[in-house]
Amino acid sequence: MTLTQLRYLVAIADSGLNITQAAERVHATQPGLSKQLKQLEDELGFQLFTRKGRSLESIAPAGVRVIEHARKVLAEVANIRSYAANERGEYSGRLLLATTHTQARYVLPPAIAAIKREFPQVSVDLLAAGDSEVLGRLDEADLALISTAGSVPQGGLAIPLFRWRRVLLVQNAHPLVALQRAPTLAELAQHALISYESSTRADSSLQRAFAGAGVTPQIAMTARDANLIKTYVRAGLGTGLLAEMAIGTREDADLRIIKAPAEIPECITWAVIPRGRVLRDYALSLLHWLAPQLDRRDLRRVLEGNQESNWPQPPEWAELIQSAAL
């Protein structure tokens, strides 16, 4: 049994049992991958997949267990390689981040630029996805960046980075401008709303806030990208509700920013790291840039399992960008 065989096995499972896609994923030929799979099954003495003709039809019950253990073995091998690279002071590699469009567009650019200056031989890849999809990409990423309104994300070690609020974005002639204050939820419910796609879920913090006030929001449309929300605000489709990080640039000068109702809760942006993962030094530097209140030594001790997590209070977004500008 070899690590290559285990890597091929996991690739087949992750490619939906499509041998061609699995071969592309691991940069192998299809015949070579099939040969390695057969050799592994011959050594184990049973089939890992059920077959229909020459195609793989499903993962056999025994195959499920073997694949589960193969993932653990490959993860530990990756950890050993990361640990060795850190010990050697080797600062080249690939940093893969799973994140939302808002984080990718408005939060990460200066952080990644700083990492590239410090570690010029590191390539950075972004897996931008919707809020509900980000943690599903964690298996293939070094870490994920996701925001929640109070609840701690599951699926890994969650580290709070910073806090932020939502704001309203309207045309200059919108009736909410005349209030000269943040509207109440009842007042906001009288107007069409454009927000992130997660806003339509019954368990979203937005829906819960409106329900608590006994009113129902008029969600005219949703989008993953804050820029799309702005586009449709300009088109007159409604009031935009979006993250404070996504506004305030020169390109927004034609729109008015209004505080959102106080009942809409504050959000926290988290870094979520697979448990047991050894991060490269440049990944730790990225976390420290995004959350300077974190001590790098504490981060490493917690990740290594040598210290309980007791994270400091994350700063507000305005505090973070102010400190970064100094």
Side-chain angles (χ1 to χ4, degrees):
M1 186 184 306
T2 66
L3 291 175
T4 296
Q5 290 172 341
L6 297 183
R7 189 162 60 92
Y8 287 3
L9 174 62
V10 170
I12 293 170
D14 290 344
S15 300
L17 310 190
N18 186 308
I19 294 292
T20 301
Q21 291 182 11
E24 292 175 356
R25 183 184 288 250
V26 295
H27 307 293
T29 64
Q30 184 174 334
L33 188 146
S34 297
K35 180 180 178 181
Q36 290 294 327
L37 174 60
K38 183 179 184 306
Q39 289 178 351
L40 178 59
E41 289 182 324
D42 288 345
E43 179 180 349
L44 295 176
F46 53 81
Q47 290 194 337
L48 299 168
F49 302 94
T50 60
R51 291 165 168 79
K52 188 174 183 179
R54 302 182 65 180
S55 300
L56 302 181
E57 186 174 38
S58 64
I59 303 175
V64 172
R65 296 297 303 277
V66 172
I67 291 171
E68 177 184 337
H69 287 290
R71 291 188 190 278
K72 294 177 181 178
V73 169
L74 294 174
E76 286 304 318
V77 169
N79 281 342
I80 292 171
R81 288 173 175 157
S82 293
Y83 176 78
N86 288 339
E87 287 293 303
R88 293 194 303 268
E90 182 180 301
Y91 300 131
S92 61
R94 178 172 176 249
L95 179 58
L96 187 56
L97 304 174
T99 186
T100 62
H101 291 264
T102 296
Q103 305 293 330
R105 170 67 178 82
Y106 297 102
V107 174
L108 284 172
I112 291 175
I115 296 306
K116 289 292 291 181
R117 288 193 297 269
E118 187 178 358
F119 305 99
Q121 293 182 304
V122 172
S123 64
V124 181
D125 293 330
L126 296 179
L127 295 172
D131 288 348
S132 60
E133 301 168 354
V134 171
L135 292 181
R137 310 294 298 271
L138 193 55
D139 284 345
E140 54 188 303
D142 293 295
L143 57 94
L145 296 180
I146 191 170
S147 298
T148 67
S151 59
V152 179
Q154 302 301 306
L157 176 66
I159 304 170
L161 303 180
F162 58 87
R163 296 174 287 136
W164 55 273
R165 301 201 70 92
R166 282 163 279 193
V167 296
L168 300 172
L169 202 60
V170 298
Q171 293 183 339
N172 287 308
H174 196 282
L176 290 177
V177 175
L179 294 176
Q180 297 185 342
R181 58 169 171 78
T184 65
L185 285 171
E187 290 168 336
L188 184 56
Q190 297 175 20
H191 301 277
L193 201 59
I194 307 170
S195 188
Y196 296 112
E197 61 180 5
S198 59
S199 300
T200 58
R201 298 203 308 261
D203 63 342
S204 72
S205 59
L206 181 67
Q207 293 286 351
R208 293 198 306 270
F210 275 97
V215 292
T216 303
Q218 298 181 45
I219 299 182
M221 67 176 297
T222 63
R224 291 186 176 186
D225 192 328
N227 281 343
L228 284 176
I229 294 176
K230 297 177 187 180
T231 296
Y232 288 101
V233 169
R234 291 187 174 96
L237 269 72
T239 300
L241 179 67
L242 63 171
E244 65 173 298
M245 301 92 73
I247 53 88
T249 60
R250 293 179 183 175
E251 63 191 31
D252 301 329
D254 60 323
L255 299 173
R256 293 290 292 271
I257 302 168
I258 302 174
K259 287 185 177 181
E263 295 87 349
I264 296 178
E266 183 180 66
C267 296
I268 296 177
T269 291
W270 305 80
V272 184
I273 304 168
R275 294 191 181 279
R277 177 72 54 83
V278 174
L279 288 183
R280 296 290 300 274
D281 287 338
Y282 45 76
L284 290 173
S285 290
L286 177 74
L287 289 176
H288 184 69
W289 198 98
L290 291 170
Q293 75 276 9
L294 298 175
D295 186 283
R296 295 193 195 201
R297 293 167 298 181
D298 289 341
L299 268 174
R300 192 179 293 281
R301 292 189 193 107
V302 172
L303 289 171
E304 292 173 349
N306 296 322
Q307 181 175 310
E308 291 294 322
S309 58
N310 185 21
W311 310 118
Q313 170 80 346
E316 295 180 351
W317 170 250
E319 296 175 36
L320 179 63
I321 58 174
Q322 184 177 8
S323 64
L326 295 178

